Amino acid sequence: MANIKFFSGKTTPIEMHRVRIIQKLNLPTIDERLEAMKRAGNNTFLLKNADVFLDMLTDSGVNAMSNDQQAAMMQADDSYAGSATFYRLEKALRHVFGMEYFLPAHQGRACEHVIAKALVKKGQMVPMNYHFTTSKAHITELGGEILEIPVKDAFNTTSTCPFKGNMDIAALKQVIAELGRDGIAYVRMEAGTNLIGGQPFSLQNLQEVSSLCRANGIPLIQDVSLLSDNLYFIKQREAACKDMSIHEIALAMAAASDIIYFSGRKLGFARGGGICTGNKQFYLDIRGYIPLYEGFLTYGGMSVREMEALAVGLYETLDEDVVSQGPQFIEYMTNELIKHNVPVVTPPGGLGCHVNAREFLPHISQTQYTAGALASALYITSGVRGMERGTMSEQRNEDGTEPLAHMELVRLALPRRVFTMSQIVYTVDRLNWLYQNRYLVGGLKWLDEPKILRFFYGTLEATGDWQQKLVAKFKADFGDSL
Ligand code: F0G
């Protein structure tokens, strides 16, 4: 973000864009919100968008496009094979990452699917800084296993460690010594590590992982879906990189990896996905799966209009004003919440602000879904839709017991370029009120619990009448205010 100092000494981040197309929002009354939450089975995934005021569920596929991206969509070249759009996107990726080969796929998990198909053999291990749900699923589906070896600060919710997404190098050395080249399919590093709170790794750590992998002939694969946040944090927090441009950092990250892949729903302000590599053999190994599962090699399941927008969005990602907007808003929101003693994950990461539900609601056990209860209570209180990232998002063990999540978080994602500062201020205000009234909040229990990916579409109910009591207190404090 531009270096703008305030005469008052305040440090409020400023949007370096203006809004030229808007979507009207609706804030239902608190009675309507309670009804909507009940209809949704206390699962924020099941809320209708029409009932949501500020949608902080995810940053996936909902980042705001620029006027240049919209203009580019008009020149999309529709053809099954050889579309000019493909070559424009390929050129953008070559520019950003300096890698020769590009394979398109319809979204991030599709990249994970074809990469795992090509590289994972039954019984092989994939060491990683931390898993993402879909990346883990595709590896285990093929009989592989994952091994998470982040630095020990990764699960420390209140930390000053600037790079909680780093991999533990000693642990990687040990696993390579134990399993050898053949026991390891590849090593995976995830930029802006999603499930630990959008936390970055450092360029130095990535390069150390890379050297170890190269010395042992093990491929290093980087998930760069959340690249833009990680680029910003490297520039801000890693002294050795402070004079590098965002583009130089992106090139150095790519140069350390054998294959990179991304969700275009996160990176590039559009939708889609892709795999890049500088290694012809990897390209050939993966290529055959694209026409089989995704689409022909020049679109891979993406719409050409989205591909045009993605190409422009990738160039925009090299602009420091652009990549800094999300992390600076998240930092502001996190610091404001800290001022009100609301427990949040620190240091602030990318993607969104993460509220620590176990500390927020210490009286609710994880078996009553602490983070799920908080997400439900927050929607009723504010119309803000967050995402549960805790025990509800886990899957039961074979014997029916409940594996308790490492952390109980409510993620308040800030899709890039979407929210204004006053909307952040409102969310902080309502969270502050909810924290003051936290002992009114109770737990949840399942009404309908699907076996697979239950968090997406399972329904729950409140234990007791705590939601009615919360609504009554809200009305007592706010009168007829929304
Ligand atoms: N990798 C990371 C780090 C992700 O965060 C995601 C998606 C994917 C891969 C899969 O990409 O959705 O395009 O298939 N994260 C979304 C989220 C779903 O809400 O955090 P996809």
Side-chain angles (χ1 to χ4, degrees), residues 58 60 107-109 112 132 134 190 194 223 225 263 265-266 387 411:
T58 177
S60 174
Q107 64 184 88
R109 68 199 71 181
E112 291 167 337
F132 183 70
T134 52
E190 182 182 311
N194 188 332
D223 178 343
S225 304
S263 165
R265 300 176 63 82
K266 290 183 179 271
M387 187 191 286
R411 177 177 93 178

Short mmCIF file of all heavy atoms in Angstrom, two decimals, residues 58 60 107-109 112 132 134 190 194 223 225 263 265-266 387 411, ligand 1:
data_model
loop_
_atom_site.label_atom_id
_atom_site.label_comp_id
_atom_site.label_asym_id
_atom_site.label_seq_id
_atom_site.Cartn_x
_atom_site.Cartn_y
_atom_site.Cartn_z
N THR A 58 -15.43 -17.05 2.85
CA THR A 58 -14.21 -17.44 2.14
C THR A 58 -13.76 -16.32 1.21
O THR A 58 -14.53 -15.39 0.92
CB THR A 58 -14.45 -18.72 1.32
OG1 THR A 58 -13.27 -19.05 0.59
CG2 THR A 58 -15.60 -18.58 0.35
N SER A 60 -12.68 -17.43 -1.71
CA SER A 60 -12.59 -18.27 -2.90
C SER A 60 -13.62 -17.88 -3.95
O SER A 60 -14.83 -18.01 -3.71
CB SER A 60 -12.77 -19.73 -2.50
OG SER A 60 -12.82 -20.54 -3.64
N GLN A 107 -10.05 -25.84 -11.28
CA GLN A 107 -9.81 -25.10 -10.03
C GLN A 107 -8.68 -25.77 -9.27
O GLN A 107 -8.07 -26.73 -9.76
CB GLN A 107 -11.09 -24.94 -9.20
CG GLN A 107 -11.74 -26.21 -8.67
CD GLN A 107 -13.05 -25.90 -7.94
OE1 GLN A 107 -14.09 -25.86 -8.57
NE2 GLN A 107 -12.99 -25.71 -6.63
N GLY A 108 -8.40 -25.28 -8.05
CA GLY A 108 -7.21 -25.76 -7.33
C GLY A 108 -7.21 -27.24 -7.05
O GLY A 108 -6.21 -27.94 -7.26
N ARG A 109 -8.35 -27.76 -6.59
CA ARG A 109 -8.37 -29.19 -6.23
C ARG A 109 -8.21 -30.08 -7.44
O ARG A 109 -7.77 -31.23 -7.33
CB ARG A 109 -9.64 -29.50 -5.44
CG ARG A 109 -10.91 -29.42 -6.21
CD ARG A 109 -12.10 -29.29 -5.29
NE ARG A 109 -12.15 -27.99 -4.64
CZ ARG A 109 -13.08 -27.61 -3.76
NH1 ARG A 109 -14.01 -28.45 -3.41
NH2 ARG A 109 -13.07 -26.41 -3.23
N GLU A 112 -4.61 -30.53 -7.78
CA GLU A 112 -4.14 -31.49 -6.77
C GLU A 112 -4.44 -32.91 -7.22
O GLU A 112 -3.64 -33.83 -7.03
CB GLU A 112 -4.84 -31.20 -5.43
CG GLU A 112 -4.36 -29.88 -4.84
CD GLU A 112 -5.20 -29.37 -3.68
OE1 GLU A 112 -6.38 -29.75 -3.57
OE2 GLU A 112 -4.66 -28.58 -2.88
N PHE A 132 -3.97 -28.87 3.32
CA PHE A 132 -5.27 -28.25 3.06
C PHE A 132 -6.23 -29.41 2.80
O PHE A 132 -5.82 -30.45 2.30
CB PHE A 132 -5.22 -27.27 1.87
CG PHE A 132 -6.56 -26.60 1.69
CD1 PHE A 132 -7.01 -25.69 2.62
CD2 PHE A 132 -7.41 -26.96 0.65
CE1 PHE A 132 -8.28 -25.12 2.52
CE2 PHE A 132 -8.68 -26.39 0.54
CZ PHE A 132 -9.11 -25.47 1.48
N THR A 134 -8.51 -30.39 0.66
CA THR A 134 -8.59 -31.08 -0.63
C THR A 134 -7.25 -31.70 -1.04
O THR A 134 -7.22 -32.77 -1.65
CB THR A 134 -9.07 -30.12 -1.74
OG1 THR A 134 -8.25 -28.95 -1.72
CG2 THR A 134 -10.52 -29.72 -1.53
N GLU A 190 2.89 -25.05 1.22
CA GLU A 190 1.69 -24.25 0.92
C GLU A 190 1.95 -22.79 1.30
O GLU A 190 2.17 -22.48 2.47
CB GLU A 190 0.50 -24.80 1.70
CG GLU A 190 -0.79 -24.07 1.41
CD GLU A 190 -1.96 -24.62 2.24
OE1 GLU A 190 -2.14 -25.85 2.27
OE2 GLU A 190 -2.65 -23.81 2.87
N ASN A 194 -3.20 -21.93 4.78
CA ASN A 194 -4.62 -21.64 5.03
C ASN A 194 -5.07 -22.06 6.43
O ASN A 194 -5.50 -21.22 7.22
CB ASN A 194 -5.45 -22.36 3.94
CG ASN A 194 -6.92 -21.99 3.96
OD1 ASN A 194 -7.46 -21.64 5.00
ND2 ASN A 194 -7.57 -22.08 2.82
N ASP A 223 2.05 -25.08 -3.42
CA ASP A 223 0.67 -24.62 -3.61
C ASP A 223 0.70 -23.10 -3.45
O ASP A 223 0.90 -22.59 -2.35
CB ASP A 223 -0.22 -25.28 -2.56
CG ASP A 223 -1.69 -24.83 -2.64
OD1 ASP A 223 -1.97 -23.80 -3.27
OD2 ASP A 223 -2.54 -25.53 -2.05
N SER A 225 -1.80 -20.96 -4.14
CA SER A 225 -3.15 -20.36 -4.16
C SER A 225 -3.16 -19.06 -3.37
O SER A 225 -3.78 -18.08 -3.77
CB SER A 225 -4.16 -21.34 -3.54
OG SER A 225 -4.13 -22.57 -4.21
N SER A 263 -5.09 -22.26 -7.10
CA SER A 263 -6.52 -22.05 -7.30
C SER A 263 -6.69 -20.62 -7.81
O SER A 263 -6.36 -19.67 -7.11
CB SER A 263 -7.27 -22.21 -5.98
OG SER A 263 -8.58 -21.68 -6.13
N ARG A 265 -9.32 -19.23 -8.04
CA ARG A 265 -10.41 -18.64 -7.24
C ARG A 265 -9.84 -17.77 -6.13
O ARG A 265 -10.54 -16.97 -5.54
CB ARG A 265 -11.29 -19.75 -6.65
CG ARG A 265 -11.93 -20.64 -7.70
CD ARG A 265 -12.72 -21.77 -7.08
NE ARG A 265 -13.81 -21.28 -6.28
CZ ARG A 265 -15.00 -20.91 -6.76
NH1 ARG A 265 -15.23 -21.00 -8.06
NH2 ARG A 265 -15.94 -20.46 -5.97
N LYS A 266 -8.54 -17.99 -5.83
CA LYS A 266 -7.88 -17.19 -4.80
C LYS A 266 -6.83 -16.27 -5.45
O LYS A 266 -6.83 -15.08 -5.23
CB LYS A 266 -7.20 -18.10 -3.78
CG LYS A 266 -8.22 -18.83 -2.93
CD LYS A 266 -7.56 -19.68 -1.87
CE LYS A 266 -8.58 -20.39 -1.02
NZ LYS A 266 -9.03 -19.66 0.15
N MET A 387 -16.63 -18.74 8.81
CA MET A 387 -16.53 -20.19 8.57
C MET A 387 -15.94 -20.89 9.79
O MET A 387 -14.90 -20.46 10.30
CB MET A 387 -15.65 -20.49 7.35
CG MET A 387 -15.67 -21.98 6.98
SD MET A 387 -14.43 -22.42 5.75
CE MET A 387 -15.13 -21.74 4.27
N ARG A 411 -13.07 -18.33 10.99
CA ARG A 411 -12.34 -17.56 9.99
C ARG A 411 -13.26 -16.49 9.41
O ARG A 411 -14.35 -16.79 8.93
CB ARG A 411 -11.88 -18.51 8.88
CG ARG A 411 -11.18 -17.82 7.75
CD ARG A 411 -10.69 -18.81 6.74
NE ARG A 411 -11.66 -19.02 5.68
CZ ARG A 411 -11.47 -19.81 4.63
NH1 ARG A 411 -10.35 -20.51 4.54
NH2 ARG A 411 -12.37 -19.93 3.71
N1 F0G B 1 -5.11 -24.96 -1.82
C1 F0G B 1 -5.40 -24.02 -0.91
C2 F0G B 1 -4.30 -23.46 -0.07
C3 F0G B 1 -6.71 -23.57 -0.77
O1 F0G B 1 -6.98 -22.64 0.16
C4 F0G B 1 -7.74 -24.10 -1.59
C5 F0G B 1 -9.13 -23.67 -1.44
C6 F0G B 1 -7.38 -25.08 -2.52
C7 F0G B 1 -6.06 -25.48 -2.62
C8 F0G B 1 -8.40 -25.69 -3.42
O2 F0G B 1 -8.75 -24.80 -4.42
O3 F0G B 1 -11.20 -24.38 -4.08
O4 F0G B 1 -10.07 -23.84 -6.26
O5 F0G B 1 -10.46 -26.20 -5.59
N2 F0G B 1 -9.58 -23.02 -0.45
C9 F0G B 1 -10.96 -22.53 -0.29
C10 F0G B 1 -11.16 -21.85 1.05
C11 F0G B 1 -12.00 -23.58 -0.57
O6 F0G B 1 -12.30 -21.43 1.33
O7 F0G B 1 -10.22 -21.68 1.82
P1 F0G B 1 -10.20 -24.80 -5.11
#
